[in-house]
Amino acid sequence: MNYVKQKLKQIGIDASIAYSSGGRIVQGLTGLGSIYFIGTFLSAQEQGYYFTFSSLLALQVFFELGLHNVITQFAAHENAHLTYDSDYNAMGPNEYASRLASILRLSTKIFAWISTLFWIVITIAGYYFFSHSSARIEDCHIDWMLPWILLSFLSSINLFLSPVYAIVMGLKRVKEISKIRFLQSIFMPLSVWLGLIIGIKLYALALSSLVSVVIGLIYLNKQHIICQLKKIWKLQSSYTVSYKNEIFPLQWKVALSWVSGYFIYQLFNPILFQYVGAEVAGQMGMTMQVVNAIQAFAFSWMSTKIPIYSTYIAQRRYELLDILFQKTLKQMLSVCLVIIILFLVTLQYIDVFFPFRISNRFISGMPLYLLCFSIISNQILSSYANYLRCYKREPLVVMSVIIAALCAVSAFVCTSSFGMTGLVCGYTVIISFIELPWAYAIYKNKKREWQQL
């Protein structure tokens, strides 16, 4: 057993990654099941609604504005100077404990407002979009309104819980959050399958979101995380964190990057839904489900190291920071490439295992290969961005805004003129041949500059 653990450690797999990547493995396997159930129990048009729901819910970045990411960085920097006894009482300089408590109280208050506003706006916006789209005219028999209302409400509750997860990540309890994600990756798709089997169709997404909330609350309580957070909450606030003077100067830059990310990564389905139709949007959605699972699984090598990067920076241990980052980057890219190859090979033979041509529910040909090529670029870009944000700075904001604008214009122009092929071609060129070289130059320059301060 020790030999196995040692070998796993050599390739970068610790307990946090084991749960995180294990969850992605389960997500990949259940993704195959979801492909079957979605293809069997939903029509091609309903599939389009199913995935466009998710794309519209991603509009929460315009409300959350990257704040949970910033919260993790701030909490990790304060927590680097603290330890905890067996009863989860914080021990260390009062300044850092007090500031950590301030971060917890402030973030909870802010997200209470954010989640409420998100619920109201996204419900109305989704109703308007689906009511006035060309696909809605063609598919007026599809029951989408009440499923959308329920889903938007439950998604707002999940959004309210996000600062809790962010704080816990900053406390270096990454393993616990990874385990929550692992459990969610099992039970959320199972709830979707059950919902589709019993015939509730698009309501299955709302059921899945409810399961996510319940699992999170139960596990946070079981692992005494809620108890730890309560004790942090009660600490005196003789030292406070100012949102205006400390968090906002970083958040507005992160916010622009995250908002830009919507136009870069989430615009496919709504545009295809509007210009080409629900069926093609469904094909893109099914493909992006696999693509996102690949990216998330591989990126778990990187994301679970973010609190460690922040700790090294707070302690000015830059050599260890860069060694760990480069090692993790190589491991992540190797894993990503292997899975992409397996996906493309599997897609060639997947119809053998299904009673219908499931491959018709995916995009194919050049758009598929270009989309897979862009996965590697996105993995590297995300790694540079998260590395730089661990310094509590956001130097990629100008680049992100410009790239988002290019992607948005390209998406509308290319889709209206050349359909799905034009959409994917324009996206790949912008991401891989404009954004990636630009991001690398910023990464090299800023790393050298900040480490010399």
Side-chain angles (χ1 to χ4, degrees):
M1 181 62 69
N2 290 333
Y3 174 79
V4 174
K5 290 182 178 179
Q6 183 179 4
K7 289 298 182 183
L8 290 174
K9 201 167 185 179
Q10 289 177 357
I11 60 175
I13 300 180
D14 55 19
S16 299
I17 291 180
Y19 279 120
S20 182
S21 58
R24 302 308 177 186
I25 291 174
V26 172
Q27 188 178 32
L29 295 175
T30 55
L32 292 177
S34 295
I35 289 170
Y36 170 80
F37 285 101
I38 292 171
T40 301
F41 295 100
L42 295 180
S43 67
Q45 290 73 28
E46 287 171 332
Q47 179 178 310
Y49 279 83
Y50 181 96
F51 289 113
T52 305
F53 274 12
S54 298
S55 293
L56 290 182
L57 287 176
L59 286 168
Q60 76 175 48
V61 299
F62 290 88
F63 297 83
E64 187 249 341
L65 296 174
L67 182 56
H68 87 271
N69 183 272
V70 177
I71 289 170
T72 297
Q73 310 307 330
F74 272 79
H77 277 260
E78 304 305 328
N79 190 69
H81 304 278
L82 302 174
T83 57
Y84 297 87
D85 62 20
S86 58
D87 292 324
Y88 302 102
N89 295 301
M91 298 185 297
N94 180 57
E95 175 186 354
Y96 300 108
S98 181
R99 283 173 58 82
L100 182 61
S102 175
I103 293 170
L104 175 58
R105 286 192 285 266
L106 180 63
S107 61
T108 303
K109 179 180 179 181
I110 292 174
F111 270 86
W113 286 101
I114 289 175
S115 58
T116 302
L117 183 62
F118 170 74
W119 172 47
I120 295 171
V121 173
I122 200 65
T123 301
I124 296 172
Y127 174 81
Y128 181 84
F129 176 82
F130 289 112
S131 296
H132 293 79
S133 69
S134 58
R136 172 66 186 151
I137 297 173
E138 299 170 3
D139 308 309
C140 58
H141 63 284
I142 294 176
D143 179 18
W144 61 269
M145 187 185 303
L146 187 54
W148 172 251
I149 293 173
L150 290 173
L151 179 60
S152 60
F153 172 71
L154 291 165
S155 297
S156 69
I157 297 178
N158 272 307
L159 178 59
F160 177 70
L161 291 175
S162 62
V164 176
Y165 297 140
I167 292 286
V168 176
M169 286 281 286
L171 298 179
K172 295 207 302 187
R173 300 194 66 173
V174 181
K175 182 178 72 173
E176 285 82 354
I177 298 302
S178 298
K179 191 168 183 179
I180 289 175
R181 301 304 185 197
F182 177 75
L183 293 172
Q184 288 172 335
S185 70
I186 295 174
F187 290 101
M188 288 176 66
L190 288 178
S191 64
V192 170
W193 300 355
L194 175 62
L196 293 175
I197 289 173
I198 64 178
I200 63 174
K201 293 187 177 290
L202 295 177
Y203 288 94
L205 277 170
L207 177 61
S208 175
S209 189
L210 175 61
V211 167
S212 174
V213 172
V214 172
I215 288 174
L217 292 176
I218 290 176
Y219 193 78
L220 287 173
N221 184 64
K222 183 179 179 181
Q223 293 299 310
H224 308 291
I225 294 174
I226 293 179
C227 175
Q228 182 178 9
L229 293 176
K230 285 181 178 179
K231 292 188 175 184
I232 293 173
W233 183 284
K234 293 178 181 179
L235 293 174
Q236 293 182 353
S237 296
S238 49
Y239 297 88
T240 60
V241 173
S242 169
Y243 175 80
K244 179 180 178 181
N245 297 325
E246 297 183 68
I247 294 179
F248 182 73
L250 173 61
Q251 190 205 347
W252 76 265
K253 297 177 182 179
V254 175
L256 286 177
S257 296
W258 280 60
V259 168
S260 299
Y262 182 86
F263 294 101
I264 297 172
Y265 304 117
Q266 296 290 341
L267 207 56
F268 286 177
N269 273 39
I271 288 180
L272 288 172
F273 193 97
Q274 182 67 33
Y275 284 102
V276 187
E279 183 171 350
V280 175
Q283 291 175 332
M284 178 60 75
M286 188 81 88
T287 306
M288 290 302 298
Q289 179 176 355
V290 178
V291 167
N292 291 334
I294 293 173
Q295 293 187 143
F297 172 74
F299 198 70
S300 62
W301 263 252
M302 186 65 65
S303 62
T304 53
K305 298 296 191 300
I306 289 175
I308 302 177
Y309 297 156
S310 296
T311 299
Y312 282 158
I313 291 169
Q315 298 170 347
R316 302 182 67 85
R317 301 167 70 182
Y318 297 130
E319 184 176 355
L320 290 177
L321 167 70
D322 291 334
I323 290 173
L324 178 61
F325 176 74
Q326 292 298 329
K327 179 181 179 181
T328 306
L329 182 63
K330 292 176 183 177
Q331 293 167 344
M332 178 194 68
L333 292 178
S334 298
V335 171
C336 188
L337 183 60
V338 169
I339 300 176
I340 289 172
I341 294 172
L342 288 175
F343 167 58
L344 292 175
V345 172
T346 301
L347 201 56
Q348 295 296 317
Y349 302 98
I350 194 172
D351 289 333
V352 175
F353 304 100
F354 289 90
F356 55 92
R357 288 191 58 80
I358 193 68
S359 61
N360 290 339
R361 295 294 183 94
F362 292 86
I363 67 173
S364 59
M366 182 186 297
L368 175 63
Y369 294 115
L370 288 176
L371 203 57
C372 288
F373 177 76
S374 70
I375 294 176
I376 299 295
S377 300
N378 278 322
Q379 292 290 92
I380 300 173
L381 284 165
S382 297
S383 298
Y384 291 156
N386 280 276
Y387 174 93
L388 294 172
R389 286 171 186 154
C390 287
Y391 287 86
K392 296 200 294 186
R393 306 189 188 190
E394 180 52 78
L396 302 179
V397 60
V398 174
M399 181 198 74
S400 297
V401 172
I402 293 175
I403 293 298
L406 289 174
C407 284
V409 172
S410 172
F412 281 104
V413 172
C414 294
T415 305
S416 60
S417 301
F418 305 104
M420 179 173 59
T421 300
L423 172 68
V424 177
C425 286
Y427 170 79
T428 303
V429 169
I430 293 170
I431 296 299
S432 300
F433 300 103
I434 298 178
E435 185 179 18
L436 182 57
W438 192 353
Y440 177 74
I442 294 174
Y443 158 75
K444 294 292 290 185
N445 292 333
K446 293 302 180 180
K447 183 182 76 167
R448 181 173 58 252
E449 175 186 338
W450 295 343
Q451 292 185 2
Q452 290 175 353
L453 294 177

